């Protein structure tokens, strides 16, 4: 059982807690009542505020709406007035701009273009809003008139200010000196700056607003004439100022004019008129005489020899008689070649400059076509001139005048050098335009190859006539002309390319023909001297030039072969002396006992030996003195070798029989001492000795 005190305590504790809870609940109840009261008060305040706001809104909103309506009305009025002003302005455009349009754009282009813009807008307005208005016809008529005036102004500006480029400036553009310091890129001012600005503005307006491309035709027609006149002016400059001593050049290169900017120099195409002319003259005379088998064909041998002096004088007189003091024909010919080469360079540079100008004036999508049309006349004239040169060369080749090919190669060389620039300039033009230069190059290459081929064939077929042979056995004109021709082609070996491969055929045919010609001589020794001289001339000429390197490409042993041929002919020549030395050779003489008395037969044999040697020596020296060996080194070599052989043989014979009493008149048979024999041989191949 729980004690009574403990139960009482628990009861008191419970009662205390109950009282505490009652107090807490009472406090919460009071707080809730106060909160409810505050909430009711706040609701009352908010309700009052809401009521006031509604009253305020009901008062202001009508005012706001009224103000907004008024503002909208004001804006509409302003817009209406603006539209009315804008529309009314279109009706005044014709009146306001008519005077300016009638007077034209000259001197006030910007003002004129502004008027045209206004007229165009008026046209568009009336077409969209009032197509039946009489004002539409008026502004349309004014617009067309204005457009025609702009086109007329474009043509007028182009015509009045387009002038040919002076020849001196063209030469500045294409010429240069290798030692000259680099300069700024040269710029040609085709049109004054202000004029160019107006032309660009007009062309831009016509493209954008006029929807007219006729001005492009006007542009290329005028510029095409200018380009052609510039090149023709350069030709006239060459013809008027050139002389036989050279070709014209731009004085600006030497004087370095301060008012003319120059570009980094480009090496000027240079001909060697004298050298080419010399080759042409030789080949022309050879072609006209040597191949035709006419007399006078042996007039040209550019070597030393007994007939050479007379031939040179004859040739000099002939050329003087033919050309006179001015030497006009050849000089004019050289000028024409050089002029054409310069015109090719001028065309490229001027075309480049024209394209730069065109890009500022003609719309991009029309530039290539317009440029193509612009350059056609000048390009056609240039190609036609080249075709005429080729045609003239072909006619000359038909006549066996192979000098004409020497006019083709310098031009062909220059055309190939200029082709990359040509291709760049003509990029984007029609295929027919691009193919014109390659076609001319191909034509020249074909003509050159044909000329070389026929030249080689004609060398092989050159006639073996006695009158056509040098009497002294010196170098034949066929040899000198053939070598000279090949040497001239060396300057164009990069251009001629495979064509120069025919030089092997030329030399082969030349060798065969020389061998055939040598048989014309009745004396085998003279035949040998003739072949020796020609073979030696060929070898020396090959060695002095780069021809030997070209020959070695197809004939690796060419040099050795010619040396062997030369040595063979020397040996053949030396055999001509056997009929002299055979008289005094020991093997052909009887044996005599020293101190023994000679028999009559033996004395007679010795006499015959001396007489035979003397007669043979005198005869050969007399004959061979008139022969020629132009090469001093070879002449001395042959003399020296022959002198050694004869002196040794004669000396031995003289030592053995000179003191033998075979005759009462020894001076009759012993006519020469050993040194005298050497002196006689030393005079061989020299008519002046």
């Amino acid at each position: 059982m729980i004690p009574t005190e403990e139960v009482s305590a628990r009861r008191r504790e419970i009662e205390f807690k109950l009282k505490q809870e009652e107090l807490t609940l009472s406090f919460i109840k009071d707080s809730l009542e106060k909160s409810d009261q505050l909430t009711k008060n706040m609701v009352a305040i908010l309700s009052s505020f809401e009521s006031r706001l509604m009253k305020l809104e009901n008062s202001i909103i009508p005012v706001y709406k009224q103000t907004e309506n008024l503002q909208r009305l004001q804006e509409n009025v302003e817009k209406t007035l603006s539209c009315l002003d804008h529309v009314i302005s279109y009706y005044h455009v014709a009146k306001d701009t008519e005077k300016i349009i009638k007077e034209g754009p000259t001197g006030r282009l910007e003002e004129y273009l502004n008027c045209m813009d206004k007229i165009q807008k008026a046209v568009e307005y009336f077409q969209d809003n009032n197509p039946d208005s009489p004002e539409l016809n008026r502004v349309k008529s004014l617009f067309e008139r204005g457009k025609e005036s702009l086109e007329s102004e474009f043509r007028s500006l182009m015509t009045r200010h387009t002038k040919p480029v002076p020849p001196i400036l063209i030469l500045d553009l294409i010429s240069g000196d290798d030692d000259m310091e680099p300069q700024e890129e040269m710029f040609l001012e085709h049109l004054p700056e202000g004029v160019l600005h107006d032309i660009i503005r007009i062309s831009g307006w016509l493209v954008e607003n006029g929807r007219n491309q006729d001005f492009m035709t006007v542009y290329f027609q005028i510029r095409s004439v200018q380009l052609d006149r510039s090149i023709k002016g350069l030709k006239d400059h060459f013809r008027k100022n050139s002389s036989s001593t050279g070709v014209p050049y731009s004085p600006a290169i030497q004087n370095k004019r301060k008012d003319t900017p120059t570009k980094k120099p480009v090496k000027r195409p240079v001909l060697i008129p004298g050298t080419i002319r010399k080759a042409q003259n030789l080949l022309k005379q050879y072609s006209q005489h040597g191949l035709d088998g006419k007399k006078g064909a042996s007039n040209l041998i550019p070597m030393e020899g007994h007939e050479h002096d007379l031939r040179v004088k004859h040739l000099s007189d002939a050329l003087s008689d033919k050309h006179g003091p001015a030497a006009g024909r050849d000089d004019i010919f050289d000028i024409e070649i050089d002029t054409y080469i310069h015109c090719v360079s001028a065309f490229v540079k001027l075309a480049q400059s024209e394209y730069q100008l065109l890009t500022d004036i003609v719309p991009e999508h029309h530039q290539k076509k317009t440029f193509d049309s612009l350059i056609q006349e000048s390009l056609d004239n240039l190609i036609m001139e080249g075709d005429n040169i080729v045609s003239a060369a072909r006619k000359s080749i038909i006549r066996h005048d192979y000098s004409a090919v020497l006019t083709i190669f310098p031009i062909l060389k220059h055309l190939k050098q200029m082709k990359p620039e040509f291709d760049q300039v003509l990029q984007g033009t029609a295929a027919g335009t691009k193919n014109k230069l390659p076609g001319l190059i191909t034509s020249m290459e074909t003509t050159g190859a044909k000329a070389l081929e026929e030249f080689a064939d004609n060398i092989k077929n050159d006639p073996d006539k006695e009158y056509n042979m040098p009497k002294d056995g010196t170098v034949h004109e066929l040899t000198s002309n053939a070598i000279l021709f090949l040497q001239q082609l060396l300057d164009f070996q990069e251009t001629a390319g495979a064509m120069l491969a025919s030089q092997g055929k030329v030399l082969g045919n030349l060798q065969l023909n020389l061998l055939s010609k040598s048989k014309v001589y009745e004396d085998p020794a003279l035949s040998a001297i003739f072949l020796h001289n020609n073979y030696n001339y060929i070898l020396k000429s090959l060695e002095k030039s780069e021809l030997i390197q070209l020959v070695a490409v197809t004939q690796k042993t060419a040099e050795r072969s010619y040396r062997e041929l030369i040595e063979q002919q020397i040996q053949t020549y030396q055999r001509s002396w056997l009929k002299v030395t055979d008289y005094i050779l020991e093997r052909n003489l009887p044996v005599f006992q020293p101190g023994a008395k000679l028999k009559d037969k033996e004395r007679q044999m010795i006499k015959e030996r001396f007489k035979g040697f003397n007669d043979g020596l005198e005869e050969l020296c007399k004959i061979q003195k008139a022969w020629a060996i132009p090469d001093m080194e070879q002449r001395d070599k042959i003399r020296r070798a022959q002198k050694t052989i004869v002196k040794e043989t004669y000396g031995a014979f003289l030592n053995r029989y000179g003191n033998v009493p075979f005759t009462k008149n020894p001076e009759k048979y012993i006519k020469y001492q050993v040194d005298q024999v050497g002196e006689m041989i030393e005079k061989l191949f020299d008519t002046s000795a």
Side-chain angles (χ1 to χ4, degrees):
M1 295 204 35
I2 300 173
T4 306
E5 292 83 0
E6 185 177 353
V7 172
S8 298
R10 288 183 178 176
R11 185 180 296 169
R12 286 194 298 271
E13 183 180 355
I14 292 170
E15 289 176 355
F16 178 76
K17 288 181 178 180
L18 289 173
K19 288 181 179 181
Q20 288 290 331
E21 290 178 357
E22 288 177 358
L23 290 173
T24 301
L25 289 173
S26 176
F27 177 76
I28 292 171
K29 184 177 179 181
D30 291 339
S31 297
L32 288 173
E33 289 177 354
K34 290 180 180 180
S35 177
D36 289 340
Q37 187 61 40
L38 289 172
T39 300
K40 290 178 181 179
N41 292 339
M42 181 60 68
V43 169
I45 292 171
L46 291 174
S47 297
S48 175
F49 183 71
E50 181 181 7
S51 175
R52 292 178 181 180
L53 283 177
M54 289 181 65
K55 290 179 180 180
L56 181 61
E57 183 178 357
N58 291 332
S59 300
I60 291 177
I61 286 178
V63 175
Y64 174 78
K65 289 182 178 180
Q66 186 177 7
T67 302
E68 184 180 18
N69 290 334
L70 290 174
Q71 289 177 342
R72 188 178 297 110
L73 288 173
Q74 183 179 0
E75 290 176 359
N76 290 338
V77 170
E78 290 176 353
K79 288 180 179 179
T80 301
L81 291 174
S82 176
C83 289
L84 286 173
D85 289 340
H86 183 67
V87 169
I88 291 172
S89 68
Y90 289 132
Y91 286 87
H92 293 289
V93 165
K95 179 181 177 182
D96 294 342
T97 61
E98 186 173 14
K99 181 181 179 182
I100 295 175
I101 297 302
K102 286 182 178 180
E103 291 177 354
T106 304
R108 51 179 176 185
L109 179 62
E110 292 301 326
E111 182 183 5
Y112 194 90
L113 292 178
N114 288 333
C115 290
M116 289 298 294
D117 289 339
K118 291 179 181 179
I119 295 172
Q120 184 178 22
K121 290 177 181 178
V123 171
E124 293 172 353
Y125 170 79
F126 287 118
Q127 285 177 336
D128 293 338
N129 298 282
N130 193 1
D132 298 327
S133 171
E135 286 296 325
L136 175 59
N137 294 331
R138 187 178 179 187
V139 291
K140 282 180 68 176
S141 174
L142 200 59
F143 182 80
E144 291 300 323
R145 183 173 182 176
K147 188 169 66 172
E148 290 175 0
S149 295
L150 284 173
E151 292 172 351
S152 177
E153 179 70 4
F154 182 89
R155 179 187 293 274
S156 176
L157 289 174
M158 290 293 302
T159 303
R160 282 188 285 116
H161 297 282
T162 293
K163 292 179 172 46
V165 180
I168 297 299
L169 289 184
I170 297 177
L171 290 173
D172 284 349
L173 195 64
I174 65 177
S175 302
D177 189 352
D178 291 337
D179 298 328
M180 194 174 163
E181 295 180 359
Q183 302 288 328
E184 294 181 0
E185 187 74 15
M186 184 173 179
F187 173 76
L188 289 179
E189 187 181 71
H190 293 286
L191 298 168
E193 185 176 354
V195 173
L196 178 60
H197 175 269
D198 288 351
I199 289 175
I200 292 173
R201 287 285 288 126
I202 293 174
S203 65
W205 190 93
L206 289 174
V207 170
E208 184 177 354
N209 302 300
R211 295 177 179 83
N212 192 332
Q213 299 176 6
D214 292 344
F215 77 94
M216 298 181 211
T217 302
V218 172
Y219 177 84
F220 84 69
Q221 288 175 344
I222 294 175
R223 295 305 301 176
S224 176
V225 171
Q226 178 272 342
L227 177 60
D228 192 53
R229 288 174 61 193
S230 297
I231 295 176
K232 288 179 178 177
L234 181 64
K235 291 180 187 176
D236 293 339
H237 179 77
F238 268 81
R239 291 166 181 162
K240 291 177 182 177
N241 296 281
S242 297
S243 65
S244 60
T245 57
V247 293
Y249 58 92
S250 170
I253 297 300
Q254 290 188 348
N255 299 334
K256 295 183 180 179
R257 297 193 305 268
K258 294 182 180 180
D259 60 337
T260 303
T262 56
K263 64 175 288 184
K264 184 176 181 180
V266 178
K267 189 171 183 180
R268 172 173 166 249
V270 177
L271 293 177
I272 310 175
T275 306
I276 289 182
R277 189 187 310 138
K278 177 183 176 183
Q280 288 172 335
N281 285 336
L282 289 171
L283 286 169
K284 186 173 292 185
Q285 294 196 28
Y286 162 69
S287 303
Q288 292 173 349
H289 299 293
L291 293 179
D292 294 337
K294 297 179 181 178
K295 286 188 176 182
S298 60
N299 287 342
L300 298 172
I301 300 179
M303 295 286 290
E304 300 173 10
H306 309 319
E307 301 177 9
H308 178 58
D309 293 340
L310 291 176
R311 288 171 181 166
V312 170
K313 184 178 185 303
H314 174 81
L315 172 60
S316 177
D317 293 342
L319 290 176
S320 297
D321 293 341
K322 180 178 179 182
H323 300 296
R329 286 184 58 186
D330 289 328
D331 291 333
I332 292 174
F333 193 65
D334 292 333
I335 293 167
E336 290 300 323
I337 296 174
D338 202 36
T339 299
Y340 184 74
I341 287 175
H342 278 77
C343 286
V344 171
S345 298
F347 172 81
V348 172
K349 297 301 180 183
L350 291 175
Q352 289 173 342
S353 184
E354 285 293 339
Y355 189 76
Q356 291 174 354
L357 176 66
L358 177 143
T359 54
D360 292 329
I361 299 173
V362 177
E364 183 176 359
H365 56 287
H366 291 289
Q367 288 173 3
K368 295 296 183 182
K369 182 179 179 181
T370 304
F371 179 70
D372 196 339
S373 301
L374 189 156
I375 63 172
Q376 278 305 313
E377 183 175 359
S378 297
L379 180 59
D380 287 344
N381 289 339
L382 207 61
I383 298 301
M384 183 175 65
E385 275 192 69
D387 289 336
N388 290 340
I389 292 172
V390 172
S391 178
R394 286 173 178 165
K395 292 178 181 177
S396 297
I397 293 168
I398 292 174
R399 299 193 304 268
H400 303 300
D401 176 9
Y402 301 104
S403 63
V405 75
L406 295 178
T407 67
I408 287 180
F409 281 116
I411 296 174
L412 179 58
K413 179 180 181 180
H414 188 64
L415 290 179
K416 286 191 171 183
Q417 289 174 341
M418 295 299 297
K419 188 176 182 301
E421 289 189 64
F422 251 98
D423 293 341
Q424 184 178 6
V425 169
L426 302 182
Q427 186 177 7
T429 57
T433 303
K434 294 178 183 177
N435 293 333
K436 288 180 179 179
L437 181 68
L440 178 58
I441 290 176
T442 300
S443 179
M444 287 190 171
E445 287 177 331
T446 303
T447 303
K450 180 177 178 60
L452 295 180
E453 186 73 19
E454 291 195 10
F455 182 73
D457 291 339
N458 278 281
I459 283 179
K460 181 179 180 181
N461 300 322
D462 190 67
D464 304 331
K465 302 295 183 181
E466 185 176 353
Y467 64 76
N468 198 32
M469 298 296 292
K471 295 178 181 180
D472 57 1
T474 190
V475 178
H476 197 279
E477 66 168 341
L478 177 67
T479 303
S480 59
N481 288 339
I483 295 298
L484 178 61
F485 186 71
L486 293 178
Q487 287 174 337
Q488 293 304 311
L489 295 182
L490 274 178
D491 291 336
F492 313 106
Q493 55 181 304
E494 293 182 2
T495 303
M499 283 184 277
L500 281 179
S502 63
Q503 47 79 24
K505 181 179 179 180
V506 170
L507 293 176
N509 288 351
L510 177 60
Q511 186 174 331
L512 291 173
N513 192 279
L514 290 172
L515 188 60
S516 177
K517 279 179 167 33
S518 68
K519 297 176 182 178
V520 172
Y521 296 109
E522 295 179 359
D523 190 336
L526 180 56
S527 176
I529 290 296
F530 171 76
L531 290 176
H532 165 273
N533 285 333
N534 282 273
Y535 292 155
N536 183 67
Y537 178 80
I538 293 171
L539 179 60
K540 294 294 184 183
S541 299
L542 293 178
E543 290 177 335
K544 288 179 182 178
S545 65
E546 298 177 7
L547 274 173
I548 192 66
Q549 299 175 9
L550 289 175
V551 173
V553 173
T554 54
Q555 298 174 310
K556 295 183 179 180
T557 61
E559 185 174 0
R560 186 182 68 188
S561 298
Y562 276 110
R563 294 191 186 281
E564 291 175 353
L565 288 170
I566 292 169
E567 192 60 35
Q568 288 173 10
Q569 300 311 315
I570 292 176
Q571 293 173 6
T572 301
Y573 163 75
Q574 289 174 341
R575 285 197 288 271
S576 69
W577 282 83
L578 292 178
K579 64 182 180 181
V580 177
T581 57
D582 277 353
Y583 283 104
I584 57 177
L585 287 176
E586 185 175 354
R587 68 173 183 270
N588 295 329
L589 294 173
V591 179
F592 300 101
Q593 296 297 328
K597 185 178 180 181
L598 294 176
K599 298 177 182 179
D600 291 342
K601 183 179 180 181
E602 293 172 337
R603 285 196 297 269
Q604 184 62 32
M605 181 178 293
I606 294 173
K607 290 179 182 179
E608 290 176 355
R609 299 295 179 178
F610 269 108
K611 186 178 185 303
F613 173 79
N614 292 336
D615 292 345
L617 176 65
E618 291 169 355
E619 181 185 5
L620 282 186
C621 287
K622 179 181 178 181
I623 293 173
Q624 295 184 7
K625 185 179 181 181
W627 295 356
I629 299 181
D631 189 321
M632 183 180 297
E633 181 181 346
Q634 287 290 314
R635 184 167 63 240
D636 291 342
K637 174 184 175 182
I638 293 174
R639 284 172 177 170
R640 188 167 53 250
Q642 201 58 49
K643 188 165 57 174
T644 300
I645 295 171
V646 177
K647 283 179 66 176
E648 288 179 355
T649 307
Y650 181 65
F653 179 78
L654 190 61
N655 286 336
R656 184 169 183 179
Y657 298 104
N659 296 320
V660 174
F662 66 91
T663 179
K664 294 179 180 180
N665 302 308
E667 67 278 359
K668 178 180 178 181
Y669 297 98
I670 307 176
K671 296 174 65 174
Y672 306 105
Q673 295 300 315
V674 174
D675 289 341
Q676 289 177 310
V677 172
E679 290 173 359
M680 292 176 70
I681 296 175
E682 192 66 33
K683 295 178 182 179
L684 295 178
F685 318 117
D686 186 0
T687 55
S688 63

